[in-house]
Amino acid sequence: MPNFLRTFPLLLSGLLLSASAGAIEFYPRMGEVLQKEGRYLIYPAGKRGNGLYQDQVLLTSNPDEQILKVHEVEGLEDTVVYLYRNRDEALRLKVGSPGESKHRLRRIGEEFYEVLDETTRALKLFRIFRGTIDPLLNRSRTATGLTPSETHAVFYNITASEMVTIAEGDPFRLYTFRLHLLHRERPGFVSLRSLSVQSTRARLDFQWVGPSTITFQLGDGTPQQVDLRDYAPNLFSP
């Protein structure tokens, strides 16, 4: 993740600027375009080395990157992921917010990314799909565990957590998971609501053992094997 800029010049990529109290007034030159994305601006659009601005304050700029799109992360104040093209013409994501970084970004496979907020421990998932930023479970704060195969990807979020007391033994925490499945060549995903998974461990580690079959272990070590075709057959049809 880049260092977000604290200062900026008064002339940037041909843009005439007027600075006041840390903000920038834009006077674009002929042929250069301001791209508005909510309260964010990308300038100059379509050019390598352009900048990303929040409320007219420069957040980041890199001479090797062309910023294309920005998406505000729901539930994480002043946090964005942005799509850029590098010098190899590959599309990538980065995450950022004003001030010091408090996020960790992990790339999974070619097009998937997990964002961890190191303060709140919230987890978010994104993918690059057809040149756009595609948030997965945008409202969830526990979206994680994404595991891709050549054609699909499975992930989960925690929907419930409760302390359980049994007649003999110490109380323990029980987590309820919801699994989700997507096809890597298709938009959206399917939530497998009829598949119920509970475990004493707040994490599931998936492995693909076939075109539609995954395995994982519960908190007590019990192995599980699930054919996802039974829960989302349409995602495995031609």
Side-chain angles (χ1 to χ4, degrees):
M1 167 172 178
N3 292 321
F4 280 69
L5 306 181
R6 297 177 181 274
T7 60
F8 44 82
L10 295 183
L11 180 63
L12 176 67
S13 301
L15 174 67
L16 295 178
L17 307 176
S18 172
S20 175
I24 298 175
E25 294 296 331
F26 289 88
Y27 302 97
R29 288 193 167 181
M30 186 174 296
E32 294 188 334
V33 178
L34 280 171
Q35 178 180 331
K36 293 185 178 181
E37 303 260 344
R39 63 193 182 110
Y40 295 88
L41 295 175
I42 298 172
Y43 183 86
K47 292 190 176 182
R48 192 175 305 281
N50 57 5
L52 174 63
Y53 301 81
Q54 178 190 28
D55 299 328
Q56 296 184 304
V57 175
L58 180 63
L59 292 182
T60 187
S61 181
N62 187 314
D64 293 325
E65 299 173 0
Q66 178 186 340
I67 300 172
L68 302 172
K69 293 184 178 296
V70 61
H71 177 86
E72 194 161 9
V73 182
E74 186 168 336
L76 300 184
E77 185 177 359
D78 289 335
T79 301
V80 297
V81 292
Y82 60 93
L83 177 70
Y84 70 95
R85 181 179 288 114
N86 63 21
R87 286 200 173 272
D88 296 328
E89 298 300 315
L91 296 180
R92 297 288 185 263
L93 290 185
K94 285 186 177 179
V95 61
S97 59
E100 297 298 324
S101 172
K102 58 179 180 181
H103 306 93
R104 190 185 310 163
L105 181 72
R106 183 169 68 98
R107 184 178 168 200
I108 307 169
E110 181 63 26
E111 73 269 34
F112 301 105
Y113 292 81
E114 180 181 88
V115 175
L116 168 66
D117 185 303
E118 295 183 327
T119 301
T120 66
R121 312 307 294 177
L123 288 161
K124 299 282 186 174
L125 288 173
F126 299 88
R127 72 166 168 167
I128 300 173
F129 185 73
R130 297 178 183 173
T132 65
I133 303 171
D134 184 16
L136 304 175
L137 290 177
N138 199 34
R139 296 182 178 180
S140 175
R141 298 173 64 85
T142 59
T144 186
L146 191 140
T147 307
S149 70
E150 291 186 4
T151 56
H152 295 76
V154 62
F155 58 101
Y156 68 84
N157 71 311
I158 297 174
T159 59
S161 170
E162 59 180 335
M163 292 299 298
V164 176
T165 303
I166 57 177
E168 297 180 2
D170 297 327
F172 59 91
R173 185 166 294 279
L174 186 66
Y175 300 91
T176 302
F177 300 84
R178 178 163 292 156
L179 275 59
H180 313 271
L181 181 68
L182 61 83
H183 192 292
R184 296 176 71 170
E185 298 298 324
R186 302 178 191 176
F189 61 89
V190 173
S191 297
L192 310 182
R193 297 181 182 277
S194 60
L195 175 58
S196 178
V197 177
Q198 292 186 313
S199 176
T200 56
R201 184 170 178 247
R203 176 175 170 175
L204 298 176
D205 295 314
F206 300 124
Q207 287 188 330
W208 289 89
V209 293
S212 63
T213 303
I214 59 170
T215 62
F216 57 93
Q217 286 189 347
L218 301 181
D220 61 0
T222 303
Q224 303 289 306
Q225 181 167 300
V226 178
D227 189 343
L228 299 174
R229 192 190 305 268
D230 295 337
Y231 300 92
N234 292 340
L235 288 185
F236 294 93
S237 60

